[in-house]
Amino acid sequence: MSLKYTAIRAMFEALWLSQLPRLVRHFSQSRGVIFTLHRVLPEVPAEFSPNAILQVHPAFLEYVIERVRALGVDIITLDEALERLAAPEKGRPFAVFTFDDAYKDNLQYALPVLRRQQCPFTLYVPTALVDGVGEVWWQALEDILTRQEAVAVMEGDETEYLGTRTRAEKQQVYDQLYWRMRKMPEAERVEMMRAFAASYGYDLDRQCRDLIMDWSELRLFASEPLCTLGAHTVHHYELAKLPLEQARSEMVQSADILMAQFGQRPAHISYPIGGPASAGQREFDLARQLGFRSGVTTRPGGLYAHHAQTPHALPRVSLNGLFQARRYVDVFATGALFTWLGKIGA
């Protein structure tokens, strides 16, 4: 585990031992929290799994739901959350569960838990990935490095050879390539990832079809009354890196496609990646202009009354796969703590 995550774990332990989350929930003006989830899988992640942060166990998801309710927190839909934010009084605390990307495991492992617990949730859908033609590139990068003992990477006109025999080497190369791609224009990233995958016989389209629900599976998932479908663009590009009209098109077309498939236009959108480098005021304004009721980021924090005035820039708290200890759930459920920590880190 990196020094960053070691420090976060130590902070979680200290918060839990101090009983501070209970006091903060009682006295803060935070009204609720939106949880971010991605994958729900019963398998223990492999030793080298940089994307394990995106994966929680079904039993942990079930415990989070049960514990949140035991804390006196209502689990509600995103639409009701917006109504509670606009209410004159604080009222009971609430939580909203959201899932990004439409992974198949959500259908197989998450949905039975959500049904059993009668837990409403929102699923944000990147439509090209459901078509089976997008790139789940962050997972592809992990998969390729897992099975290689060395990789060749083009740097300008030069070829750089990077050792990936040990776990530490794999992690170092993953971090190097991941952040290099994150900083690229999206068209260049797609080109680089496609070429890199082809060099090692990795089929990105097949991987997408294997990981992401197709339309028939998504239709089954969306037929669940507990489910609210939201937009997550077409190609899962970082919108802030796109020209204005392309960013607008990504948002509009995703909503148009979901409308055509399900007969109802999504009222909510999640910005892919969702941090400050991926979505900012321009994207928040676009979401508002395009008629979405809300837009969610991955900026950490709780929900306050003032968010009723900025519903297209809502913070969320990630149920991080590296922190699945049951004692941490009280920390996750305390949105105000993440708001304060976000300000410290800003």
Side-chain angles (χ1 to χ4, degrees):
M1 184 177 293
S2 69
L3 290 176
K4 172 186 173 181
Y5 290 120
T6 299
I8 293 173
R9 183 180 295 279
M11 179 191 66
F12 271 44
E13 289 288 349
L15 287 169
W16 175 73
L17 287 169
S18 71
Q19 296 297 304
L20 184 62
R22 179 176 58 83
L23 295 173
V24 171
R25 284 194 303 276
H26 182 74
F27 290 107
S28 85
Q29 291 304 305
S30 175
R31 296 192 173 191
V33 64
I34 302 175
F35 291 128
T36 310
L37 297 106
H38 290 83
R39 308 197 66 183
V40 179
L41 288 166
E43 296 86 8
V44 176
E47 183 180 2
F48 171 66
S49 298
N51 289 296
I53 59 173
L54 303 178
Q55 173 182 334
V56 300
H57 194 282
F60 182 70
L61 172 61
E62 189 142 30
Y63 179 78
V64 172
I65 295 169
E66 292 173 345
R67 179 59 181 166
V68 163
R69 285 175 169 154
L71 292 172
V73 177
D74 295 337
I75 299 176
I76 61 176
T77 66
L78 194 48
D79 288 300
E80 185 175 346
L82 294 176
E83 294 172 5
R84 292 200 188 190
L85 289 176
E89 301 296 332
K90 178 180 175 182
R92 284 174 56 86
F94 63 83
V96 179
F97 283 74
T98 66
F99 295 79
D100 286 6
D101 300 343
Y103 287 98
K104 285 181 187 285
D105 52 67
N106 290 183
L107 176 62
Q108 185 173 0
Y109 298 111
L111 188 57
V113 173
L114 297 164
R115 281 174 170 164
R116 187 160 54 246
Q117 294 292 336
Q118 283 298 288
C119 174
F121 62 93
T122 298
L123 177 72
Y124 293 108
V125 180
T127 55
L129 272 62
V130 180
D131 285 331
V133 296
E135 297 98 19
V136 190
W137 66 269
W138 52 95
Q139 185 62 51
L141 185 57
E142 176 185 316
D143 294 346
I144 294 169
L145 296 179
T146 294
R147 67 192 193 191
Q148 297 299 136
E149 294 197 350
V151 294
V153 180
M154 291 298 297
E155 184 69 53
D157 294 330
E158 301 292 328
T159 300
E160 183 179 8
Y161 293 93
L162 304 171
T164 55
R165 186 175 58 84
T166 68
R167 176 186 177 185
E169 288 174 337
K170 292 179 190 296
Q171 186 64 57
Q172 182 178 9
V173 173
Y174 181 91
D175 292 341
Q176 177 183 334
L177 295 180
Y178 175 86
W179 287 109
R180 179 178 168 187
M181 291 187 192
R182 282 287 309 275
K183 293 173 183 177
M184 286 180 172
E186 291 289 30
E188 292 181 22
R189 179 194 57 72
V190 170
E191 182 179 0
M192 179 180 176
M193 189 66 229
R194 287 274 170 184
F196 186 65
S199 296
Y200 295 99
Y202 190 92
D203 188 334
L204 284 169
D205 292 335
R206 178 176 179 179
Q207 179 237 23
C208 184
R209 293 191 296 272
D210 287 344
L211 288 181
I212 305 298
M213 288 185 244
D214 62 25
W215 288 108
S216 62
E217 291 167 322
L218 184 60
R219 192 163 288 107
L220 176 63
F221 195 83
S223 67
E224 170 57 52
L226 295 165
C227 178
T228 298
L229 281 186
H232 199 33
T233 75
V234 177
H235 295 96
H236 201 277
Y237 293 158
E238 294 181 72
L239 293 170
K241 292 162 61 175
L242 302 178
L244 175 63
E245 287 309 311
Q246 187 180 1
R248 183 194 304 273
S249 176
E250 282 283 325
M251 299 167 78
V252 169
Q253 286 189 36
S254 65
D256 288 347
I257 292 167
L258 290 172
M259 172 67 181
Q261 288 284 347
F262 297 101
Q264 184 173 355
R265 195 172 190 82
H268 310 284
I269 189 167
S270 169
Y271 311 107
I273 309 295
S278 306
Q281 192 58 52
R282 185 191 72 166
E283 288 67 47
F284 306 155
D285 291 342
L286 275 175
R288 175 178 50 80
Q289 294 163 12
L290 294 173
F292 291 104
R293 286 196 69 198
S294 78
V296 294
T297 70
T298 56
R299 304 183 190 199
L303 298 174
Y304 295 80
H306 69 79
H307 284 114
Q309 307 306 315
T310 57
H312 302 95
L314 299 178
R316 290 191 288 178
V317 171
S318 173
L319 290 179
N320 190 306
L322 300 183
F323 302 96
Q324 295 187 66
R326 291 187 170 196
R327 60 188 178 277
Y328 296 160
V329 175
D330 289 26
V331 179
F332 282 124
T334 311
L337 291 173
F338 292 86
T339 301
W340 295 342
L341 292 170
K343 290 179 179 178
I344 292 171

